[in-house]
Amino acid sequence: MDLQQTVAVVSGGASGLGGACVQVLAEAGAKVVILDLDSERAAALLAEYPDSVAFARCDITNDSDVSEALDLCEQRFGKVTAAVNCAGIAIAEKTLGREGPHPLASFRKVQDVNVAGTFNLSRLASERMAKNEPDDNGERGVILMTASVAAFDGQKGQAAYAASKGGVVAMTLPMARDLAGSGIRVNTIAPGLFLTPMLESLPPAAREALGRAPLHPQRLGKPKEFGSLAAFLISHPYLNAEAIRLDAGVRLP
Ligand SMILES: NC(=O)c1ccc[n+]([C@@H]2O[C@H](COP(=O)([O-])OP(=O)(O)OC[C@H]3O[C@@H](n4cnc5c(N)ncnc54)[C@H](O)[C@@H]3O)[C@@H](O)[C@H]2O)c1
């Protein structure tokens, strides 16, 4: 899909990896609507790209919030051709910890945001995309989802998070199969360790240790490196039904 013709909704676009997708896409000529709970963080991006970026306050787990955000995107930019799912939450709780068994409520909350929220935006966006005129490749839309290397090498305390990200990886192929007839591709990025507010809250020593974990280059990923892969996945017509690790070769112990 031609990035200059792309109109994308980016969940979690106010911060971190989603924010970098907004910047990379806007700089490539796309129009973007940020779907996020955090309007304060989104304000800087809106000021940076006033003509090509809009904001919809939206809880991705909520049906009507997401529908209204997609309406806003169509009203402002005429269509929806890409949905980039970056909204997500992480917790660290052991299956059996000092305080007792992992609370079921926090396990469910992580699945709700990371799996059901991702599915919610993807399913509702696909309905809008299916109405687009196909481009020269017969393409009407692209869906991107964000998993994590925790889907494959989840660590201690990551049962809930790893389950949610495994769910995102697992739904990539069936969703791509469901939407192929509508000319919509579906891909997932499984990031390793990126320097975003999710990791910035760690003590410097912990961050430094994490930065030594990748094979090469031995550093944390830059959010724009995620954004550039997202833009590539949107633009490449032959990439479909794939989950790609973006991790400089890291394998979490
Ligand atoms: N940073 C990393 O190293 C890393 C590694 C692997 C996977 N990931 C995944 O990448 C994605 C982005 O992570 P990040 O590091 O940029 O995090 P982040 O905390 O910087 O950004 C997440 C954004 O999602 C928004 N959000 C959370 N719940 C929401 C909801 N219900 N509705 C709408 N918006 C919501 C937050 O407001 C925030 O702006 C997440 O899915 C995360 O699990 C991150």
Side-chain angles (χ1 to χ4, degrees), residues 133-217:
E133 279 300 312
D135 70 8
D136 294 346
N137 286 306
E139 198 159 272
R140 292 190 174 84
V142 181
I143 293 173
L144 291 186
M145 303 189 286
T146 305
S148 163
V149 293
F152 311 104
D153 7 297
Q155 297 184 291
K156 273 185 192 170
Q158 285 195 318
Y161 184 70
S164 74
K165 296 304 189 178
V168 171
V169 170
M171 69 184 171
T172 307
L173 175 60
M175 211 190 279
R177 286 177 164 158
D178 287 345
L179 297 174
S182 301
I184 299 169
R185 292 181 292 112
V186 183
N187 290 297
T188 289
I189 303 176
L193 302 161
F194 280 73
L195 189 56
T196 69
M198 229 181 221
L199 292 194
E200 274 162 13
S201 57
L202 292 175
R207 254 195 285 161
E208 244 170 64
L210 285 177
R212 287 193 295 274
L215 291 181
H216 180 79

Side-chain angles (χ1 to χ4, degrees), residues 12 15-17 36 58-60 86 88 146-147 161 165 191-192 194 196-198:
S15 174
L17 302 184
D36 206 299
C58 167
D59 179 345
I60 52 156
C86 287
T146 305
Y161 184 70
K165 296 304 189 178
F194 280 73
T196 69
M198 229 181 221

Side-chain angles (χ1 to χ4, degrees), residues 11-20 34-39 41-42 56-62 65-66 85-90 109 112-114 117-118 146-150 161 164-165 189-200 220-221 223 226 246:
S11 78
S15 174
L17 302 184
I34 297 170
L35 276 56
D36 206 299
L37 293 167
D38 191 337
S39 51
R41 270 220 170 104
R57 199 190 173 281
C58 167
D59 179 345
I60 52 156
T61 65
N62 184 294
D65 272 17
V66 173
N85 291 278
C86 287
I89 55 171
K109 171 82 181 164
D112 194 33
V113 176
N114 293 1
T118 296
T146 305
S148 163
V149 293
Y161 184 70
S164 74
K165 296 304 189 178
I189 303 176
L193 302 161
F194 280 73
L195 189 56
T196 69
M198 229 181 221
L199 292 194
E200 274 162 13
L220 296 173
F226 179 94
L246 182 67

Side-chain angles (χ1 to χ4, degrees), residues 1-3 6 8 10 21 25 30 81-84 139 141-144 185 187 227-237 239:
M1 179 172 293
D2 180 352
L3 289 177
T6 294
V10 180
C21 290
L25 290 172
T81 65
V84 180
E139 198 159 272
V142 181
I143 293 173
L144 291 186
R185 292 181 292 112
N187 290 297
S228 68
L229 179 57
F232 181 72
L233 288 170
I234 291 172
S235 63
H236 201 303
L239 261 166

